Amino acid sequence: MAHPSQLGFQDAASPGMEELIHFHDHSLLIVFLISTLLLYIITAMGSTKLTNKYILDSQEIEIVWTILPAIIRIMIALPSLPILYLMDEINDAHLTMKAMGHQWYWSYEYTDYEYLGFYSYMIQTQDLTPGQFRLETDHRMVVPMESPIRVLVSAEDVLHAWAVPALGVKMDAVPGRLNQTAFIISRPGVYYGQCSEICGANHSFMPIVVEAVPLEHFETWSSLMLEEASL
């Protein structure tokens, strides 16, 4: 969960998000070095260091300005490729879910179970109990921790986006199209997100709440939900 005046990312709750944070720090260091170099050049332009004819017409300098950007691109590309494959690779998912965006709420369906599904509406501010966050919903998406989870994302009406920052997940929900994403939650907890696509008047009122629990607790929860659905 985000904190007031927070400048950095939320604490990572998945291996994918941990890698994204490391890549962000790596890229930020490169940007800092480039900015320092440019600042030095701008500062030195007023002196004779960079204004003499030898520097301005030097072939060696031209070679450096050509090769250096290529090296920088390689330094950024190489760490990013494994992350892209890690986030795109979906093998042997233990649980598959379908998240459907509506105006303006989400519905979830556990495709491995025949009758396990529900709608998830935002709890109105006047109905919140002490200690609850504004993004709380009446039904949370409950998943087992330390298990590969596949989420199929689509929409019924307009464009939406299913995004949970702490999990490093953001996937567009497009009407008539089925996108998929995957994640593994490394620790128990409750993780909040929101629709990240401007989808209409109540765009800010369709939050996402994912609760990660141990596998045995998930099995108990799913059994209770199936019993309620059969009544």
Side-chain angles (χ1 to χ4, degrees):
M1 189 67 184
H3 303 287
S5 304
Q6 181 175 339
L7 298 178
F9 293 101
Q10 296 183 24
D11 292 338
S14 68
M17 187 58 188
E18 291 177 1
E19 293 297 327
L20 286 175
I21 292 177
H22 293 159
F23 177 70
H24 167 268
D25 296 341
H26 169 76
S27 303
L28 193 62
L29 178 60
I30 294 176
V31 171
F32 174 76
L33 294 176
I34 295 174
S35 301
T36 304
L37 177 61
L38 291 177
L39 182 61
Y40 169 76
I41 293 175
I42 294 173
T43 304
M45 285 296 291
S47 65
T48 59
K49 293 181 180 179
L50 297 178
T51 55
N52 61 71
K53 183 177 179 180
Y54 174 78
I55 294 295
L56 294 178
D57 297 335
S58 173
Q59 184 177 358
E60 290 78 8
I61 293 296
E62 293 294 335
I63 295 175
V64 171
W65 288 131
T66 303
I67 296 178
L68 188 59
I71 296 176
I72 293 174
R73 290 188 178 187
I74 293 174
M75 292 175 62
I76 295 176
L78 289 181
S80 68
L81 292 177
I83 301 176
L84 290 174
Y85 282 108
L86 174 66
M87 299 180 66
D88 190 57
E89 194 72 18
I90 305 174
N91 292 324
D92 300 326
H94 294 177
L95 181 67
T96 299
M97 301 188 57
K98 183 178 180 180
M100 181 72 70
H102 310 265
Q103 288 184 313
W104 285 273
Y105 59 93
W106 293 94
S107 63
Y108 298 103
E109 178 183 345
Y110 292 71
T111 59
D112 298 320
Y113 300 85
E114 190 172 357
Y115 299 107
L116 184 51
F118 49 82
Y119 297 103
S120 181
Y121 296 94
M122 178 179 179
I123 299 177
Q124 299 302 313
T125 304
Q126 62 272 17
D127 298 327
L128 291 173
T129 60
Q132 283 187 315
F133 295 106
R134 177 184 173 275
L135 297 178
E136 192 58 68
T137 60
D138 57 352
H139 290 93
R140 294 174 173 175
M141 172 181 160
V142 181
V143 296
M145 55 176 287
E146 298 181 342
S147 298
I149 308 297
R150 176 193 289 113
V151 182
L152 307 177
V153 184
S154 186
E156 186 181 61
D157 34 51
V158 299
L159 292 174
H160 299 281
W162 198 81
V164 183
L167 304 181
V169 175
K170 181 178 181 181
M171 181 56 64
D172 290 336
V174 183
R177 179 176 181 140
L178 204 61
N179 293 328
Q180 68 175 356
T181 184
F183 55 85
I184 300 175
I185 303 180
S186 53
R187 53 188 171 84
V190 180
Y191 308 100
Y192 295 86
Q194 285 182 282
C195 173
S196 296
E197 193 76 42
I198 300 178
C199 56
N202 292 332
H203 157 69
S204 60
F205 294 94
M206 51 183 304
I208 302 162
V209 184
V210 179
E211 182 176 358
V213 297
L215 179 59
E216 55 271 17
H217 293 177
F218 173 77
E219 292 175 345
T220 302
W221 173 85
S222 59
S223 299
L224 292 175
M225 293 292 290
L226 290 170
E227 289 178 4
E228 293 179 3
S230 62
L231 295 179

